[in-house]
């Protein structure tokens, strides 16, 4: 094109808005269901003070107090009868001692892993990636069961208030999972401060229940419930505690009570959410959370044995609802507050399930990045959430709910093995870390972490034995199978990566002296001519066409049309016999013969005609893909498919575009800020910037990019959409495209290969003289400021 300084050359212009393809119907449906997509530049998390972090991260842990004590009674009452209530408190004390030990261990985890320190990370860093797979499988199973049991327990709280809903328990539980899944796919954030409300509402309402209960105890008005109510768990006969059968039942009750300790890991997983100093605030929050959990479990157990609260075969009314009703009384005020308590119980259980929707996909992301899960689980979706992980979690939890009939009692059988396996690996991992580094009170750390790991390991064995026939056998069967497949998947990924790694001899690409291009011809049409036109642009050493003959008459017709077509008169057509009609084999033979010489590289162009999705597959074969697949395995041979859309020509339609601003708005991309030409540059007129170089004062006023003019100074502001850096073998230069709502301009920085702090997507302000390169306005070596 004519240069800008020559006569008659067009005036240089700013970069024009580019169009985007029209959204397909499937994407429109997704957007109507999930809303507009979030832009990746909005990704981030807010820092939380301790009061919000406690409410948000502890909902899973604290909510387990709603059913932990009840599960102890379910194991004890059929074996020991009314004597089970006397055993309730000693069993609870044992659970609380374990809670204290694990809390001390996780305080150490937080102190060392100040960003994220779940069992998977601790195990990977201290025992290696192979052992971390065990932690990953255990935690994934635990999270799946958590969603199922929290949802089922929340519905049980509703049914305890409104018993008429009992026939719909399974459907209601599945509906809750679907709603929580939908909310998370739409971008519900775990860090949203509103999620702190259910925790404080539940803790506050239970504090009132306990206060009213203690008042009734003091006044002698706290009722003792009947133990022979219809539907209640059947009472057994009292027996000695030293028989093998009694010991087995006690261990089962202890294992049931261990379900109260789930969710303790949440604080260590979310350390990065806390305000500075993160580790210190997280450790304090962990202690507060464990104290609240211990108080609630202790209170529920004490009142349960005081009023003889009976679990029911159907799961409702729950023990905690019986305690609330007995403490609050039957008066109008008591009835109203009973509904509030049940609502708070329901909300915290659902909030606990929702917390898992953040933890599970993040865990899957870590494991997938390490190569032990499919990489699809590390990809963010429409709303920047790990959508595949969310869908996988919801589907697995739904299957589990259907399998158990949404029974909390049956779900508990799957529960504690996973979480206590995580506690075991985290405890032993931190003990190894303390021994290896030997800093500070390392002997105490070895003792407390080793104790936590040892106790948790005992719980795992106890749970596996006493719960084996109730469903633990499924977990014990699935876990090794899952571990095996994850290891095999990692092996496959490593083999693939090893095949793609650049070897020493390949670190510098060598030039091939001869690059030949061959077009595989099936017919002479516009698709073939388009492939020839593309082949010429490659500037090959030699250009030819090949037709594999499987029908002599068709081959002769192609030869005649080829000779009569002016656009093809400089391309030699070769007819090669294909007697067995196996086109991929013939293509392989041809490629091998052509590249016998080591200085020859061959590109095979395969015109592919695209037809309608249904009729295309019905009426036409997929020969291009069949040929390209084996060809790609040959050295110095590249198979390139050149697509041609026949369906669009038949329909008589052009490619549909939509306006860039409309597309950006649908994608959730905020427009780059611009400043009117009359506005002075003041600290309040734009976002906060970090200055790398002093901005020139030759152009004080900010100018929209669309209004800048050639050969004048301009001060512009926009969003960086692309960064181009020169290769290491050429002169250093960086070119940056900046856009605002009015257009785009190129900033050219000579003598540089990178600009510190400059990334695609940031807001950049620049000032300098406007020139041009190939008809586009360009600012050369501008002064600049970067949004910080």
């Amino acid at each position: 094109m004519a240069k800008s300084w020559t006569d008659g050359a067009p005036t240089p212009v700013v970069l024009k808005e580019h169009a985007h393809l029209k959204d397909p119907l499937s994407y429109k449906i997704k957007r109507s269901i999930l809303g507009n997509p979030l832009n990746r530049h909005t990704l981030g998390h807010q820092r939380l003070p301790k009061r919000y972090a406690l409410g948000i991260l502890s909902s899973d842990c604290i909510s387990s107090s709603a059913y932990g004590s009840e599960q102890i009674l379910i194991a004890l009452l059929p074996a020991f009868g009314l004597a089970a209530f006397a055993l309730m408190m000693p069993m609870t004390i044992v659970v609380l001692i374990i809670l204290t030990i694990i809390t001390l261990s996780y305080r150490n985890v937080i102190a060392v892993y100040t960003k994220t320190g779940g069992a998977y990370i601790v195990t990977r860093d201290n025992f290696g990636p192979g052992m971390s797979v065990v932690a990953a499988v255990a935690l994934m199973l635990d999270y799946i069961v958590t969603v199922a049991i929290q949802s089922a327990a929340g519905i049980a709280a509703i049914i305890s208030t409104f018993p008429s809903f009992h026939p719909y328990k399974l459907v209601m539980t599945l509906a809750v999972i679907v709603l929580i899944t939908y909310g998370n796919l739409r971008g519900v954030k775990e860090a949203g401060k509103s999620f702190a409300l259910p925790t404080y509402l539940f803790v506050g309402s239970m504090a009132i229940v306990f206060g009213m209960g203690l008042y009734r105890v003091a006044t002698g008005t706290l009722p003792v419930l009947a133990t022979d109510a219809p539907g209640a768990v059947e009472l057994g006969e009292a027996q000695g505690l030293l028989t093998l059968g009694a010991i087995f039942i006690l261990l089962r009750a202890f294992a049931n009570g261990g379900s109260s300790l789930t969710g303790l890991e949440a604080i260590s997983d979310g350390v990065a959410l806390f305000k500075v100093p993160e580790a210190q605030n997280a450790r304090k929050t962990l202690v507060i959370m464990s104290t609240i959990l211990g108080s609630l479990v202790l209170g529920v157990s004490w009142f349960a044995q005081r009023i003889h609260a009976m679990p029911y075969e159907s799961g409702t009314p729950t023990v905690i609802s019986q305690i609330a009703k007995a403490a609050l009384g039957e008066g109008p005020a008591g009835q109203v507050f009973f509904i509030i308590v049940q609502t708070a119980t329901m909300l915290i259980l659902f909030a606990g399930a929702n917390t898992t929707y953040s933890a599970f996909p993040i865990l899957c992301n870590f494991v997938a990045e390490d190569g032990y899960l499919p990489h699809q689980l590390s990809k963010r979706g429409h709303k920047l959430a790990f959508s595949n992980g969310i869908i996988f979690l919801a589907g697995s939890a739904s299957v589990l709910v259907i399998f158990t009939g949404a029974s909390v009692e049956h779900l508990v059988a799957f529960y504690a093995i996973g979480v206590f396996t995580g506690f075991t690996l985290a405890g032993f991992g931190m003990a190894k870390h303390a021994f290896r580094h030997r800093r500070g009170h390392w002997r105490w750390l070895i003792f407390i972490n080793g104790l936590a790991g040892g106790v948790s390991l005992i719980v795992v064995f106890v749970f596996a034995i006493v719960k084996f026939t109730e469903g633990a056998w499924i977990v014990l069967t699935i876990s090794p199978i899952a571990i095996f497949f994850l290891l095999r998947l990692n092996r496959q990924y490593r083999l693939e990566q090893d095949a793609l790694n650049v070897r020493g001899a390949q670190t510098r690409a060598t030039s091939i002296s001869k690059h030949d291009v061959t077009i595989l011809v099936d017919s002479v049409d516009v698709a073939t001519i388009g492939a020839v036109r593309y082949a010429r642009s490659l500037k090959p050493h030699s250009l030819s066409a090949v037709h594999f003959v499987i029908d002599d008459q068709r081959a002769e017709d192609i030869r005649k049309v080829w000779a009569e077509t002016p656009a093809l008169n400089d391309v030699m057509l070769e007819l090669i016999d294909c007697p067995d009609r196996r086109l991929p084999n013939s293509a392989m033979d041809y490629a091998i013969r052509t590249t016998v010489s080591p200085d020859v590289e061959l590109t095979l162009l395969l015109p592919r005609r695209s037809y309608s999705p249904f009729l295309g597959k019905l009426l036409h074969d997929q020969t291009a893909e069949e040929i390209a697949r084996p060809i790609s395995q040959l050295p110095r041979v590249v198979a390139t498919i050149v697509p041609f859309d026949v369906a669009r020509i038949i329909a008589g339609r052009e490619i549909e575009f939509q306006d860039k601003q409309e597309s950006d708005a649908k994608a959730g991309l905020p427009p780059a800020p611009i400043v009117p030409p009359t506005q002075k540059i003041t600290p309040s007129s734009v976002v906060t910037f970090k200055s790398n170089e002093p901005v020139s004062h030759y152009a004080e006023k900010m100018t929209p990019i669309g209004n800048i003019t050639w050969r004048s100074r301009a001060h512009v502001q926009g969003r960086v959409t692309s960064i181009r850096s020169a290769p290491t073998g050429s002169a250093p230069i960086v070119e940056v495209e900046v856009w605002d709502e009015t257009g785009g301009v190129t900033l050219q920085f000579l003598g540089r290969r990178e600009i510190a702090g400059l990334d695609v997507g940031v807001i950049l302000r620049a000032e300098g003289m406007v020139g041009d390169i190939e008809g586009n306005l360009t600012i050369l070596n501008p002064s600049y400021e970067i949004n910080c």
Side-chain angles (χ1 to χ4, degrees):
M1 64 179 294
K3 300 298 183 183
S4 56
W5 58 81
T6 61
D7 293 336
T11 303
V13 295
V14 298
L15 300 173
K16 301 298 184 182
E17 289 185 349
H18 50 279
H20 291 182
L21 289 174
K22 198 77 172 178
D23 292 337
L25 178 61
S26 59
Y27 186 81
K28 291 179 180 179
I29 294 174
K30 178 195 286 188
R31 196 176 66 241
S32 66
I33 296 174
L34 300 180
N36 289 333
L38 293 179
N39 182 264
R40 69 180 183 86
H41 301 299
T42 65
L43 183 63
H45 63 259
Q46 62 185 124
R47 297 282 182 163
L48 299 174
K50 293 190 291 293
R51 63 182 182 277
Y52 285 117
L54 174 64
I56 293 167
L57 299 176
S58 65
S59 56
D60 178 19
C61 181
I62 291 177
S63 63
S64 61
S65 63
Y67 50 80
S69 300
E70 179 173 351
Q71 296 304 313
I72 295 177
L73 285 175
I74 289 176
L76 293 178
L77 285 170
F80 298 102
L82 293 177
F85 293 110
L87 297 171
M88 184 73 177
M89 291 310 295
M91 196 66 64
T92 301
I93 295 299
V94 174
V95 172
L96 296 183
I97 291 173
I98 296 176
L99 168 64
T100 303
I101 295 172
I102 295 176
T103 299
L104 293 174
S105 176
Y106 268 88
R107 287 184 80 250
N108 182 225
V109 171
I110 294 170
V112 174
Y113 295 90
T114 56
K115 296 302 180 184
T116 181
Y120 176 76
I121 302 297
V122 175
T123 307
R124 184 187 65 186
D125 289 356
N126 293 283
F127 295 118
M131 195 65 182
S132 68
V133 176
V134 178
V137 171
L139 291 173
M140 289 169 63
L141 292 175
D142 172 53
Y143 288 141
I144 291 170
V145 179
T146 296
V147 172
I149 199 170
Q150 297 282 90
S151 302
I155 294 300
I158 297 176
I159 296 175
S160 297
T161 310
F162 305 102
S164 59
F165 286 115
H166 186 271
Y168 311 104
K169 179 173 69 171
L170 178 59
V171 175
M172 292 171 67
T173 304
L174 293 174
V176 167
I177 294 176
V178 170
L179 289 175
I180 296 176
T181 302
Y182 176 68
N184 280 273
L185 289 175
R186 281 190 63 92
V188 171
K189 297 294 184 182
E190 180 195 34
K193 294 180 179 179
S194 60
F195 283 105
L197 178 62
T199 299
Y200 288 112
L201 182 62
F202 175 72
V203 173
S205 61
M206 289 308 298
I208 294 175
V209 168
F210 291 164
M212 289 295 297
L214 292 174
Y215 171 77
R216 287 182 174 273
V217 170
T219 59
T221 58
L222 185 69
V224 175
L225 304 181
T227 58
D228 57 351
V233 172
E234 185 178 353
L235 286 174
E237 298 293 332
Q239 57 176 300
L241 299 178
L242 298 180
T243 65
L244 289 177
I247 293 174
F248 184 84
I249 297 300
L250 291 174
L251 291 175
R252 176 184 292 175
F254 164 70
N256 280 9
S259 62
S260 300
L261 305 185
T262 57
L264 276 175
E265 193 181 59
I267 300 291
S268 66
D269 286 335
V271 177
L273 288 173
F274 286 83
K275 285 188 173 181
V276 178
E278 297 97 333
Q280 180 179 336
N281 289 329
R283 294 176 77 188
K284 291 179 180 178
T285 305
L286 174 65
V287 172
I288 295 172
M289 180 184 73
S290 297
T291 303
I292 293 175
L293 173 62
S295 301
L296 290 172
V297 172
L298 186 65
V300 171
S301 295
W302 189 81
F303 278 103
Q305 61 91 24
R306 185 82 186 190
I307 68 172
H308 287 182
M310 295 290 295
Y312 282 72
E313 296 285 355
S314 64
T316 56
T318 59
V319 166
I320 196 171
S321 69
Q322 296 174 55
I323 294 171
K325 184 168 289 188
L328 298 173
E330 298 291 339
Q335 289 292 328
V336 171
F337 199 78
F338 172 73
I339 294 177
I340 294 175
V341 171
Q342 291 301 99
T343 301
T345 305
M346 174 197 70
L347 289 176
I348 193 174
L349 287 164
F350 291 163
N354 180 74
T355 302
T356 307
Y357 275 84
S358 176
F360 180 87
I362 290 175
L363 171 66
C364 289
N365 174 52
F366 287 149
V367 180
E369 287 182 344
D370 288 341
Y372 291 96
L373 280 175
H375 288 165
Q376 290 88 334
L377 292 172
S378 65
K379 307 299 182 184
R380 294 188 181 272
H382 195 72
K383 288 289 189 175
L384 295 181
F386 296 108
S387 303
N388 292 327
I390 290 173
I391 294 171
F392 177 58
L393 172 64
S396 302
S398 299
V399 170
L400 197 56
V401 165
I402 295 172
F403 180 75
T404 60
S407 168
V408 175
E409 177 188 356
H410 294 154
L411 286 167
V412 166
F414 299 92
Y415 209 7
I417 287 185
V419 67
F420 275 96
T421 299
F423 292 161
T424 300
L425 294 171
F428 287 144
M430 292 311 300
K432 182 178 180 181
H433 180 276
F435 179 77
R436 189 168 64 242
H437 293 85
R438 304 187 186 186
R439 299 170 184 166
H441 304 287
W442 62 274
R443 290 184 176 85
W444 161 252
L445 295 177
I446 290 176
F447 169 75
I448 196 64
N449 287 302
L451 180 62
V455 169
S456 299
L457 183 61
I458 292 172
V459 174
V460 171
F461 281 120
V462 168
F463 207 99
I465 294 171
V466 302
K467 289 287 186 178
F468 185 83
T469 58
E470 298 178 27
W473 67 271
I474 298 177
V475 178
L476 296 174
T477 303
I478 291 177
S479 295
I481 295 175
I483 291 170
F484 172 78
F485 278 109
L486 263 61
L487 292 173
R488 291 287 297 176
L489 181 65
N490 177 258
R491 178 175 177 270
Q492 181 64 27
Y493 274 136
R494 284 188 288 107
L495 290 174
E496 293 172 356
Q497 186 58 51
D498 184 66
L500 294 172
N501 283 339
V502 179
R503 304 294 191 272
Q506 301 167 329
T507 55
R508 181 173 179 82
T510 57
S511 298
I512 301 294
S513 59
K514 294 182 179 180
H515 175 210
D516 296 339
V517 175
T518 298
I519 304 154
L520 301 187
V521 177
D522 182 54
S523 61
V524 181
D525 52 22
V526 290
T528 302
I529 293 175
V532 171
R533 185 183 303 116
Y534 172 68
R536 290 193 182 104
S537 70
L538 299 177
K539 296 181 172 56
H541 177 265
S542 68
L543 173 60
S544 60
V546 167
H547 173 70
F548 295 111
V549 180
I550 57 178
D551 184 310
D552 293 329
Q553 183 58 49
R554 178 177 175 81
E556 179 62 20
D557 293 341
I558 289 175
R559 187 190 64 78
K560 290 181 179 179
V561 175
W562 189 275
E564 296 169 358
T565 304
L568 306 175
N569 57 15
D570 61 335
V571 181
M572 178 183 66
L573 175 65
E574 180 179 2
L575 303 179
I576 297 178
D577 189 23
C578 183
D580 59 359
R581 299 172 303 284
R582 298 169 66 185
L583 294 178
N585 281 0
S586 297
M588 286 277 287
D589 291 339
Y590 174 81
I592 292 171
R593 289 199 317 270
T594 307
T595 57
V596 169
S597 176
D599 63 343
V600 175
E601 184 175 44
L602 174 66
T603 295
L604 289 179
L605 298 184
L606 296 88
R608 183 184 66 185
R609 300 147 185 88
S610 300
Y611 303 93
S612 61
F614 175 72
L615 288 178
K617 293 181 180 179
L618 184 65
L619 302 178
H620 304 277
D621 57 25
Q622 307 294 320
T623 308
E625 285 81 0
E626 294 176 5
I627 294 175
R629 193 175 299 113
I631 288 294
S632 63
Q633 302 173 23
L634 297 176
R636 295 178 287 109
V637 179
V638 177
T640 302
I641 294 177
V642 183
F644 190 82
D645 193 347
V646 178
R648 178 175 58 84
I649 296 177
I650 294 175
R653 65 177 187 272
E654 298 295 329
I655 299 177
E656 295 182 345
F657 294 97
Q658 63 185 2
D659 183 74
K660 175 182 179 293
Q661 292 186 16
E662 176 189 355
S663 175
D664 286 348
K666 291 178 180 179
L669 178 65
I674 61 172
V675 181
T678 58
Q679 183 172 341
K680 293 285 186 178
I681 303 171
T682 64
S684 60
S685 64
V686 291
V687 292
T688 305
F689 284 83
K690 174 177 67 179
S691 179
N692 292 67
E693 297 179 10
V695 176
S696 168
H697 295 288
Y698 289 112
E700 288 187 354
K701 295 179 180 179
M702 192 75 69
T703 305
I705 293 176
N707 295 344
I708 64 176
T709 56
W710 183 39
R711 293 181 175 175
S712 64
R713 299 196 72 85
H715 200 150
V716 299
Q717 177 178 302
R719 186 180 302 279
V720 175
T721 60
S722 73
I723 302 174
R724 297 185 293 272
S725 299
T728 56
S730 61
I733 184 174
V734 176
E735 292 183 345
V736 180
E737 275 192 23
V738 177
W739 286 76
D740 67 9
E741 291 176 314
T742 63
V745 66
T746 300
L747 312 180
Q748 192 175 83
F749 298 88
L750 300 178
R752 305 176 113 178
R753 295 199 183 278
E754 62 178 351
I755 298 176
L758 185 64
D759 298 304
V760 173
V762 304
I763 304 299
L764 180 71
R765 185 193 297 177
E767 190 272 345
M769 179 63 71
V770 181
D772 88 291
I773 294 179
E774 297 185 356
N776 293 318
L777 294 180
T778 303
I779 302 178
L780 182 65
N781 283 335
S783 301
Y784 65 94
E785 293 176 290
I786 300 174
N787 182 359
C788 60

